[in-house]
Amino acid sequence: MMNVSRPRSARRAELLAAGAATVTVVLWASAFVSIRSAGAAYSPGALALGRLAAGVLVLGAICLWRREGIPPRSAWRGIMVSGVLWFGFYMVALNWGEQQVDAGTAALVVNVGPILIALLGARLLGDSVPPRLLAGMAVSFAGAVTVGLSMSGEGGSSVLGVALCLLAAMAYAAGVVAQKPALGTGSPLQVTTYGCLVGAVVCLPFAGQLVREAAEAPVSATLNMVYLGVFPTALAFTTWAYALTRTTASRMGATTYAVPALVVLMSWLALGEVPGPLTLLGGALCLAGVAVSRSRSRAGTGPRPESGAAGPAGTVPAPPGPEEYREGTHGVREAPDAREVRPDRTSGSM
C-alpha cells in the first residue's frame, strides 16, 4: 500500500508545483503589459518602490491572517540576498534598462537569466543539469532570440541600456539561487513576504519621487502599478517560491522561457499589437523548449525516472543507488524521493 500511495502523493505534489509555476509565468508575462502603461508616468525607482510597497501590504495582510511567524534565522541569509538583488536591484535596473533600449533588445539580454541560473545552480547548489534540460533551454533561448530580433529595429539601444538589462539578468539569477536554500527552512509565504520587504527598504531612496509622480500620474498608470504589486509580485513570487521548493532552480529558470511567448499573445490581445510570422515562430520555440525541459525520460527507454515518478503499470521504480543518496537534515541519509516530498535543505547559498 505504501508503494502505491507514495508515488500518488508525489505526483499530486508535482502537479501542484506545475500549476504554481504556470500561475507565475502567466502573471509575470502580464507584468510587461502593465509596465508599459505605468512606466510612462513613473520613473524606474519610483515604479519599483510603488510595486513593492503594494506587494508588502498584501503579503503582510496574508501573513497576519495565516499567523505566519518570522522566518527562522537560517533562512535570513537567502532572504536578504534575494531581497536586495531580485526584489530591489533587479526591478530598478530592468525598469531603467527598458527605457534605454527597445523591447527586443531587452528581451534578448534579460533571457540570459535562466542560463545563469542553471550555471549558478549547478555550481552552488549542486543542481543536476540533464541533457533534456540543456536541450530545452537551448531551444527556448533560440525562440527568445527570434522574438527579440522580430521586435527590434524601431527603438534605439544604448550601451547603458544593454548593461542595465544584463545586470538585471545577473541579479535575477543570483537572487533565485540565493532564495532556494532559504526555502528549506522558511515557508514560501515567509520567504516571499520578507524578501519583498527587504526590496522595498532598498528602494526607499525613491520615496520622494514616488510621492511627486503619484500626484501627477494618471489613474490608469497608478492602477497598473498597484496591479504589478498585487499580482505579478505578491501572488506570482509566492507561487514561484512554492514551486521552487519542489524542483531545482535550473528547471524553474527554464520554465520562465514561456514568458516571451505569453507576452506576445497578451500584447496582441490587450494592445492590438499583431505579431508577425517571425515573432510567432519565436514564441512557438519558447514554448517547445519549455516542454522539452520539463519532460522526463520514459522508464526502460532512458535514464531511471526522476524521484517521485511512477514506473510502468504494475511496477515500482528501482531503488536509487548509493551514489544518489545524500546527507539530509540532522545527518539522516535522504533518497531522491524524500527530496521531492519536502523542500531541499541545501546549506549552500550566495
Side-chain angles (χ1 to χ4, degrees):
M1 181 64 67
M2 291 182 61
N3 290 338
V4 175
S5 61
R6 186 183 184 91
R8 285 180 179 174
S9 62
R11 181 60 178 168
R12 180 175 179 274
E14 184 179 292
L15 290 175
L16 288 174
T22 301
V23 170
T24 298
V25 297
V26 170
L27 291 178
W28 281 356
S30 73
F32 285 87
V33 179
S34 294
I35 287 174
R36 291 194 185 186
S37 172
Y42 288 95
S43 58
L47 177 57
L49 176 59
R51 174 180 178 176
L52 290 168
V56 167
L57 290 175
V58 172
L59 290 167
I62 296 175
C63 280
L64 289 175
W65 176 61
R66 290 179 54 87
R67 297 183 180 180
E68 291 271 350
I70 297 176
R73 185 171 61 180
S74 57
W76 273 102
R77 183 181 181 183
I79 290 173
M80 292 295 293
V81 174
S82 63
V84 171
L85 293 180
W86 193 10
F87 287 88
F89 182 83
Y90 166 80
M91 291 191 182
V92 176
L94 182 62
N95 292 343
W96 190 5
E98 288 190 352
Q99 292 183 355
Q100 304 292 319
V101 300
D102 58 76
T105 302
L108 288 176
V109 179
V110 171
N111 274 293
V112 173
I115 298 175
L116 296 177
I117 291 175
L119 295 175
L120 290 174
R123 177 66 179 85
L124 300 176
L125 302 179
D127 287 352
S128 62
V129 186
R132 282 175 179 263
L133 179 59
L134 289 175
M137 292 181 69
V139 173
S140 289
F141 185 71
V145 170
T146 304
V147 171
L149 291 176
S150 67
M151 295 169 61
S152 301
E154 296 182 1
S157 296
S158 68
V159 174
L160 174 61
V162 172
L164 287 168
C165 289
L166 181 59
L167 287 174
M170 295 170 65
Y172 158 54
V176 169
V177 174
Q179 188 188 61
K180 175 67 174 176
L183 291 167
T185 53
S187 71
L189 183 57
Q190 287 176 328
V191 173
T192 303
T193 300
Y194 286 89
C196 190
L197 178 60
V198 170
V201 171
V202 169
C203 293
L204 279 179
F206 303 106
Q209 291 182 7
L210 177 60
V211 172
R212 291 193 301 270
E213 293 170 4
E216 303 176 355
V219 175
S220 60
T222 301
L223 289 177
N224 273 288
M225 180 175 66
V226 173
Y227 169 83
L228 288 168
V230 175
F231 293 97
T233 302
L235 178 56
F237 274 79
T238 302
T239 53
W240 164 277
Y242 175 85
L244 186 59
T245 61
R246 289 155 175 80
T247 187
T248 64
S250 303
R251 191 176 294 276
M252 278 300 293
T255 302
T256 62
Y257 271 123
V259 170
L262 294 176
V263 170
V264 170
L265 177 61
M266 291 179 180
S267 297
W268 187 1
L269 298 176
L271 304 177
E273 298 179 352
V274 180
L278 190 60
T279 305
L280 291 175
L281 174 61
L285 286 174
C286 288
L287 294 178
V290 171
V292 171
S293 67
R294 302 288 298 187
S295 64
R296 292 180 172 182
S297 299
R298 295 289 183 182
T301 60
R304 184 184 299 124
E306 293 185 28
S307 43
T315 65
V316 178
E323 74 282 356
E324 293 182 56
Y325 285 85
R326 65 163 195 172
E327 197 72 23
T329 310
H330 307 305
V332 178
R333 303 289 283 179
E334 292 183 337
D337 281 342
R339 298 199 297 273
E340 284 290 323
V341 174
R342 67 185 184 187
D344 184 5
R345 298 179 184 272
T346 308
S347 59
S349 62
M350 295 298 295

